[in-house]
Amino acid sequence: QVQLVESGGGLVQSGGSLRLSCRVSGLPLDHYSIAWFRQAPGKMREGIACISTGDSEAYYVDSVKGRFTISSDYAKNTVYLQMNNLKLEDTGVYYCAADRSPVIVFVRSWPASEHWGQGTQVTVSP
């Protein structure tokens, strides 16, 4: 049974940092691309970062580039999203997702994905 479990969300002030974790079980992590999506209130879910755990190839959308870092710990079957210099517009529910496609194909298919986590809330306050 495939499971993706996010953790690490919370309330943080603008300019602060959070690190989200996505623990993956039930699939061979090195054969999957893992992405982080977020959904702000009243908005569509959007992909923001993606990593190929096999070769650490990473992709970021412009709105988070330079502030967020996606990484993976293969031994722990966990993918992280380090979020620095958080802004009010980063508020939302953050989901991790897994897909067998390479990063470049996965990104083009967003917001579709094979597997999803349940999400973790991130709230950035003024």
Side-chain angles (χ1 to χ4, degrees), residues 21 24-25 38 54 56 62 71 100 113 122 125:
S21 299
V24 181
S25 60
R38 69 183 176 196
S56 297
D62 288 345
S71 62
R100 275 172 289 188
S113 182
V122 171
S125 65

Side-chain angles (χ1 to χ4, degrees), residues 4 10 38 60 80 100:
L4 288 75
R38 69 183 176 196
Y60 302 92
Y80 303 98
R100 275 172 289 188

